[in-house]
Amino acid sequence: MAVPLFATSLDAYKPRLAEALAEVVDGGRYILGPQVEAFEQEFARYLGARHCVGVGNGTDAITIALRALGVRPGDEVICPSFTFYATVEAAVNAGATPVYCDIDPQTFCVTPDTVRAAMTPHTKAIVAVDLFGNVAPIAELRELGVPVLEDSAQAAGARLGQRRAGALGDAATFSFFPAKNLPCLGDGGAVITDDDAVAKLARRLRLHGSDDKQTFVEVGYNSRLDELQAAVLRILLPELDAWNEARRGAAAAYMRHGLGEYAELPEPTPGAEHVYHLYVVRHRRADDLRDVLSSRGIEARAYYRVPTHRQPATAVYAPPDRELPGTDEVARTHLALPMGTQLSDDSVREVVEACASGSI
Ligand SMILES: *Cc1c(COP(=O)(O)O)cnc(C)c1O
């Protein structure tokens, strides 16, 4: 039995999605209309945050949020290297100089210690990524005295203590790319904040730096969440908690079936309720394990084998005087195994059996 990497399907929602899309088409409002406004309110309420600003995608969300937090050309912004490339790309596009910090190999997230090692008098912001659906220790990072932007693209619905990922930093960003835990049917993103001034500036920046499209007070972006995508998100948001519960159930099944004997399992940050956007284990021969799984029809993938500080476009920002040993270790050893809202117990057992069979 083949097991896909993404065991998630929207088939059951297609009739309702089609109906909602048809209503938007009939209504004739496509940009910044009632669907976006309603979704912004609903998502802010879900997260327990004051403001949600819908934007074009999760990458623009980071650029816009950094600028709204006051990052100016030449400012240093601390980012992990072990993340999706867009985290760092967005900081560069905001005019900032990214300064890489290391991660904790067990949680895949930055820590106060790894961030402190990268801080200088020029540090203007920290981007902490809630990687793979875990939650970075944002409250402790805020004690370092620099604004913290939480990149929650992979962690919709996760919690740290009583609070949701995305409501922990000075601002946060989401992506609604179709593979994320809260997907839309194309590109979409959001900036989240409790700060009225940051929200106002983010709204302005997504609309060409204008409040009214008459007077342009910033050089901004054309980056709005579409009405069509907002209508989709309003249908799918109420499903998010149940979907994440199913993902946690699959993660528990991996443990129950004994995967821990064959690989290092993902560790939630203390107090975090992980949402397993990806189920990422570590193995000292990760590519060999991937090949064993593949020979049995089980998909597995290394996401960031070449971390951002070694990518052609962004290696120039690599610290000459600091190693990133945690990053290099997990870059070499990580492997994402099948995960999703519809991953059956039988499929999980099959993956674990395949991991056991390889004797690697
Ligand atoms: C997906 C993702 C982004 C970018 O989101 P897009 O909507 O694809 O632009 C940024 N950061 C992380 C960690 C992501 O996973």
Side-chain angles (χ1 to χ4, degrees):
M1 185 175 64
V3 185
L5 187 59
F6 291 100
T8 295
S9 161
L10 288 181
D11 282 357
Y13 305 94
K14 278 182 180 165
R16 284 172 62 204
L17 293 173
E19 199 180 313
L21 291 171
E23 274 173 32
V24 175
V25 173
D26 282 347
R29 285 284 299 277
Y30 305 123
I31 302 285
L32 296 185
Q35 296 294 333
V36 169
E37 205 169 296
F39 173 70
E40 287 178 342
Q41 285 178 16
E42 289 159 12
F43 196 43
R45 194 178 317 126
Y46 172 85
L47 296 171
R50 281 172 55 81
H51 303 284
C52 168
V53 181
V55 298
N57 56 71
T59 309
D60 286 356
I62 298 168
T63 301
I64 288 171
L66 285 174
R67 285 189 59 188
L69 286 171
V71 169
R72 296 282 169 269
D75 289 340
E76 291 182 2
V77 171
I78 295 176
C79 314
S81 162
F82 193 74
T83 177
F84 178 49
Y85 172 74
T87 306
V88 176
E89 178 185 45
V92 174
N93 280 333
T97 301
V99 176
Y100 297 112
C101 72
D102 211 358
I103 54 162
D104 175 348
Q106 298 214 304
T107 63
F108 299 110
C109 291
V110 305
T111 70
D113 285 341
T114 67
V115 168
R116 213 180 282 113
M119 284 183 82
T120 78
H122 308 290
T123 304
K124 192 62 195 262
I126 298 161
V127 184
V129 181
D130 295 328
L131 202 68
F132 302 143
N134 196 8
V135 189
I138 306 289
E140 295 161 51
L141 295 172
R142 291 182 80 174
E143 287 169 16
L144 298 172
V146 172
V148 176
L149 175 63
E150 189 184 6
D151 178 353
S152 303
Q154 301 187 1
R159 288 183 215 259
L160 189 61
Q162 296 305 305
R163 305 207 63 182
R164 295 277 188 189
L168 298 162
D170 294 273
T173 56
F174 284 91
S175 163
F176 307 120
F177 181 82
K180 310 283 180 177
N181 287 34
L182 177 60
C184 66
L185 302 179
D187 280 312
V191 175
I192 310 298
T193 185
D194 280 342
D195 186 315
D196 296 348
V198 171
K200 183 160 191 247
L201 190 44
R203 283 187 193 286
R204 191 180 277 169
L205 286 168
R206 77 174 170 180
L207 192 71
H208 303 286
S210 178
D211 296 329
D212 56 7
K213 265 186 125 183
Q214 298 293 322
T215 305
F216 298 89
V217 292
E218 301 271 353
V219 173
Y221 309 90
N222 175 4
S223 185
R224 283 93 50 143
L225 180 65
D226 281 358
E227 282 288 287
L228 285 165
Q229 301 302 349
V232 166
L233 288 162
R234 293 186 68 201
I235 288 178
L236 299 183
L237 176 59
E239 311 298 326
L240 180 60
D241 284 345
W243 285 343
N244 285 337
E245 202 50 53
R247 288 172 180 273
R248 276 190 292 275
Y254 273 124
M255 248 195 211
R256 195 169 61 244
H257 289 298
L259 182 64
E261 287 180 43
Y262 313 109
E264 304 276 346
L265 305 187
E267 282 279 331
T269 296
E273 193 174 66
H274 204 302
V275 291
Y276 299 101
H277 167 59
L278 297 170
Y279 189 81
V280 179
V281 300
R282 287 179 295 143
H283 190 284
R284 79 200 144 76
R285 288 169 59 197
D287 288 338
D288 293 338
L289 179 59
R290 179 201 56 208
D291 293 345
V292 167
L293 296 174
S294 161
S295 72
R296 293 173 158 237
I298 296 166
E299 247 189 301
R301 189 185 301 166
Y303 271 76
Y304 314 125
R305 195 59 93 221
V306 180
T308 313
H309 77 288
R310 299 189 185 281
Q311 288 290 343
T314 43
V316 292
Y317 306 109
D321 54 343
R322 249 181 330 112
E323 298 284 312
L324 301 173
T327 298
D328 284 327
E329 187 219 305
V330 300
R332 202 166 50 241
T333 59
H334 77 287
L335 189 68
L337 302 183
M339 175 46 73
T341 60
Q342 272 128 321
L343 187 66
S344 69
D345 199 64
D346 282 349
S347 295
V348 168
R349 184 160 6 92
E350 199 159 307
V351 175
V352 176
E353 277 169 16
C355 290
S357 75
S359 68
I360 49 172

